[in-house]
């Protein structure tokens, strides 16, 4: 597995962290074990028609039982850091009140196993598996959920605080709000743009309240992960609309303590913003130590009369989302490594002073396992291109500290079920056998060299 995708050799800064990422509902399985309560993704995935093939996370990669082998496999692959998420419904089955110690036990075992193999754990406190009991009381449209989230964060820190350096609060609140409450393609499957904006605010408030709890408890490094994308197009108004709803509605409150005025105006059709209370933005804008960036592809927009609104972008009537003839992944997403350079340099320019880490980047391709091998040269080329793009951003001044590839292994790809494979490691769901793909062996070399071979 020595093939490289071409280009000059290059080396990353000393101390640059290479790793992989996963999320609880996508890999753990054991949905009904050791006192775990139901989450919105259990409910959603069991609702006919919501997930391709009717797949659920009931078994997934069975990581809950196989975590020790999975950690050993990561160590074999030279992985330096592992980003995983904690399932809130394992810790508080009802979303509040009594703590389930067996849930905490699992993550303590996982973290100890990682440390035992010299792998740095990076915790995500919320990667979309909201306890169903909280959704039944309004979910993220309710202010109460933000308060419960901060309590949950404190509970987790109470058990793991002495062995975790880096905490991130939320994964991709854009997906939770606009896909979950606006477009209904993710759990909880609501289709109300007004609810999506309320969810945005309460997710951000939950982030801010959790940051305060983590700080008070002495957490060393605290941040949030956002899915961000450069938006381009010839019409500035269309670009501002989509950039506002995709990027600035999260970046500005977290890093500047304010909602962008144009986004507030654009959303007035759907909400009067009465859920924003005095003092909330001070809480949300409290300093963070690191910004997690998830990058998959850029977005290009164009004005087109009579174009109906894209349900994931409220108010986007007249704006068409266009794609060129560039390569697409199995998700249909454009392969555009340059977008990553553009995104990172924009963050360094518009939001200076916050160190960055890529908490997710990767791709699904139609992998074939044959004779114990997956020759996924397209994934190698994808990663090679994106690593080069990240390096270019560092050269241009972006303070990028690390790179976590999505994903360690094939897993439950949300509404796409198990049909889409993002892993560096192939999973045979019948046998639960793991097979490192060629990309995993190539990545091991990248990590060993801290860079790319010519
Ligand atoms: C992440 O979300 C999640 O954090 C992770 O759990 C998930 O498994 C992984 O990515 C892969 O999906 O249609 O070309 O406009 C990804 C968020 C938002 C990225 C929508 C792609 C649309 C690209 N995605 N975006 S396009």
């Amino acid at each position: 597995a020595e093939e490289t995708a071409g280009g000059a050799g290059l080396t990353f800064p000393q101390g640059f962290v290479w790793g992989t990422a996963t999320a609880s509902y996508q890999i753990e399985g054991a949905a009904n074990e050791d006192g775990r309560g139901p989450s919105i993704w259990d409910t959603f995935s069991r609702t006919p028609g919501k997930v391709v093939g009717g797949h659920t996370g009931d078994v997934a990669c069975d990581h809950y039982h196989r975590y020790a082998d999975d950690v050993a496999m990561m160590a074999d692959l030279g992985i330096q850091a592992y980003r995983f998420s904690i399932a809130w419904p394992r810790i508080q089955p009802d979303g509040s009140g009594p703590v389930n110690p067996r849930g905490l036990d699992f993550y303590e075992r996982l973290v100890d196993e990682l440390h035992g193999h010299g792998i740095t754990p990076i915790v995500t406190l919320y990667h979309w598996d909201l306890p169903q009991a909280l959704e039944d009381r309004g979910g993220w449209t309710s202010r109460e959920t933000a308060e419960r989230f901060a309590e949950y964060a404190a509970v987790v820190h109470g058990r793991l605080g002495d062995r975790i350096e880096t905490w991130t609060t939320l994964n991709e609140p854009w997906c939770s709000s606009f896909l979950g409450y606006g477009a209904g393609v993710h759990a909880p499957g609501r289709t109300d743009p007004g609810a999506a904006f309320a969810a945005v605010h309460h997710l951000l408030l939950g982030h801010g309240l959790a940051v305060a709890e983590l700080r008070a408890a002495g957490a060393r490094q605290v941040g949030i992960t956002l899915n961000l994308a450069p938006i381009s197009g010839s019409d500035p108004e269309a670009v501002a609309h989509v950039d506002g709803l995709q990027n600035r509605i999260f970046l500005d409150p977290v890093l500047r303590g304010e909602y962008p005025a144009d986004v507030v105006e654009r959303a007035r059709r759907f909400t009067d913003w009465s859920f924003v209370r005095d003092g909330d933005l001070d809480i949300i804008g409290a300093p963070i130590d690191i910004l997690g960036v998830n990058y998959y592809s850029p977005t290009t927009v164009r004005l087109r009369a009579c174009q109906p609104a894209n349900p994931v972008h409220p108010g986007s009537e007249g704006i068409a989302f266009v794609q060129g003839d560039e390569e697409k992944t199995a998700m249909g997403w454009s392969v555009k490594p340059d977008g990553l350079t553009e995104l990172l340099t924009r963050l360094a320019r518009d939001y200076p002073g916050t160190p960055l880490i890529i908490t997710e980047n990767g791709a699904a391709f139609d992998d074939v396992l044959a004779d114990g091998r997956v020759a996924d040269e397209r994934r190698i080329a994808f990663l090679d291109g994106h690593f080069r793009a990240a390096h270019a951003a560092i050269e241009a001044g972006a303070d990028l500290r690390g790179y976590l590839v999505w994903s360690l292994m094939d897993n439950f790809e949300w509404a796409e079920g198990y049909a889409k494979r993002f892993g560096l490691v192939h999973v045979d769901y019948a046998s639960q056998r793991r097979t490192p793909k060629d990309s995993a062996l190539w990545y091991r070399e990248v990590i060993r060299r801290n860079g790319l071979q010519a």
Side-chain angles (χ1 to χ4, degrees):
E2 274 291 309
E3 63 260 66
T4 49
L10 45 81
T11 305
F12 281 73
Q14 216 192 332
F16 194 81
V17 174
W18 297 98
T20 61
T22 63
S24 47
Y25 190 70
Q26 296 182 271
I27 66 164
E28 286 178 359
N32 300 310
E33 281 180 55
D34 290 346
R36 179 184 178 278
S39 81
I40 57 174
W41 269 96
D42 296 280
T43 308
F44 188 77
S45 65
R46 287 169 194 163
T47 305
K50 298 299 185 189
V51 174
V52 169
H55 297 166
T56 74
D58 285 358
V59 178
C61 306
D62 195 33
H63 172 76
Y64 191 79
H65 299 115
R66 295 167 194 266
Y67 72 92
D69 288 346
D70 288 338
V71 170
M73 175 179 75
M74 270 190 269
D76 284 343
L77 293 173
I79 301 299
Q80 297 168 339
Y82 175 54
R83 170 182 182 252
F84 62 95
S85 80
I86 293 182
W88 188 348
R90 287 198 194 282
I91 310 305
Q92 290 175 297
D94 295 322
S96 60
V99 172
N100 172 32
R102 288 176 295 170
L104 289 165
D105 292 345
F106 169 67
Y107 295 105
E108 190 172 74
R109 292 196 298 275
L110 171 62
V111 167
D112 288 348
E113 198 72 22
L114 289 163
H115 282 307
H117 286 79
I119 299 170
T120 302
I122 297 178
V123 165
T124 302
L125 284 165
Y126 183 75
H127 199 129
W128 307 354
D129 39 4
L130 184 72
Q132 181 62 44
L134 293 182
E135 180 57 31
D136 295 342
R137 299 206 291 274
W140 289 110
T141 69
S142 162
R143 192 176 178 93
E144 188 203 334
T145 299
E147 289 158 3
R148 298 291 83 79
F149 178 66
E151 289 168 9
Y152 152 72
V155 166
V156 176
H157 189 279
R159 176 70 87 91
L160 299 179
D162 62 341
R163 49 199 104 180
I164 299 290
E165 180 92 19
T166 304
W167 300 82
T168 61
T169 54
L170 308 175
N171 176 72
E172 302 189 347
W174 180 86
C175 292
S176 299
S177 50
F178 290 107
L179 299 183
Y181 291 85
V185 296
H186 278 189
R190 290 182 56 183
T191 52
D192 172 1
F197 287 102
V200 166
H201 185 66
H202 295 130
L203 281 153
L204 287 171
L205 182 63
H207 156 78
L209 292 169
V211 168
E213 290 288 344
L214 293 168
R215 292 263 184 246
R220 283 172 283 260
Q221 179 154 245
V222 183
I224 186 172
T225 282
L226 302 177
N227 58 305
L228 302 169
I231 317 293
S232 61
S234 55
D235 182 69
E237 181 56 28
V239 170
H241 185 101
V242 176
D243 182 49
L245 289 182
Q246 169 81 57
N247 300 315
R248 291 181 290 115
I249 194 174
F250 300 102
L251 288 166
D252 283 27
V254 170
L255 297 172
R256 294 178 179 168
E258 61 190 18
Y259 282 111
D262 67 306
V263 173
V264 172
E265 276 317 306
R266 282 177 226 280
R268 282 208 196 279
R269 273 174 67 189
F270 307 107
T271 179
D272 61 8
W273 294 91
S274 56
F275 42 76
V276 180
R277 297 194 191 160
D278 283 354
D280 283 2
L281 283 153
D282 294 333
I283 295 167
I284 295 168
I288 55 171
D289 308 302
I290 190 126
L291 175 66
V293 176
N294 290 359
Y295 172 75
Y296 286 91
S297 66
T299 298
T300 307
V301 294
R302 186 167 81 206
L303 293 183
R304 184 187 285 153
C306 304
Q307 177 77 35
N310 179 335
V312 310
H313 301 275
S316 61
E317 290 89 351
I319 300 175
F321 292 74
V322 295
Q323 287 189 322
D325 54 10
E326 66 278 349
E327 181 190 5
K328 309 290 188 299
T329 69
M331 298 292 281
W333 301 345
S334 299
V335 177
K336 283 201 174 167
D338 290 356
L340 180 57
T341 313
E342 189 185 332
L343 173 62
L344 294 171
T345 51
R346 183 249 181 125
L347 293 171
R349 183 188 68 230
D350 291 355
Y351 305 91
T354 306
L356 307 172
I357 178 168
I358 293 170
T359 35
E360 289 181 28
N361 171 249
F365 290 111
D366 294 321
D367 299 321
V368 179
L369 175 68
D371 301 326
R373 179 177 170 202
V374 179
D376 57 339
E377 51 284 306
R378 289 185 67 193
R379 184 172 289 101
I380 294 174
F382 179 97
L383 292 173
D384 180 274
H386 286 78
F387 293 168
R388 290 177 191 280
H391 192 270
I394 295 170
E395 304 243 277
D399 184 7
L400 182 68
R401 304 289 175 91
Y403 206 120
L404 311 177
V405 172
W406 185 269
S407 179
L408 169 64
M409 56 187 159
D410 297 336
N411 57 50
F412 176 78
E413 178 48 32
W414 306 114
E416 302 293 332
Y418 298 98
K420 296 290 183 282
R421 295 180 175 272
F422 274 88
L424 291 167
V425 173
H426 180 276
V427 176
D428 175 333
Y429 293 107
S431 65
Q432 291 294 346
R433 180 192 295 273
R434 275 73 159 138
T435 306
K437 304 177 189 177
D438 283 3
S439 57
L441 307 178
W442 172 85
Y443 189 38
R444 174 163 60 192
E445 277 304 296
V446 173
I447 298 170
R448 199 180 60 75
R449 289 170 200 277
N450 191 30
L452 297 162
Q453 213 183 347

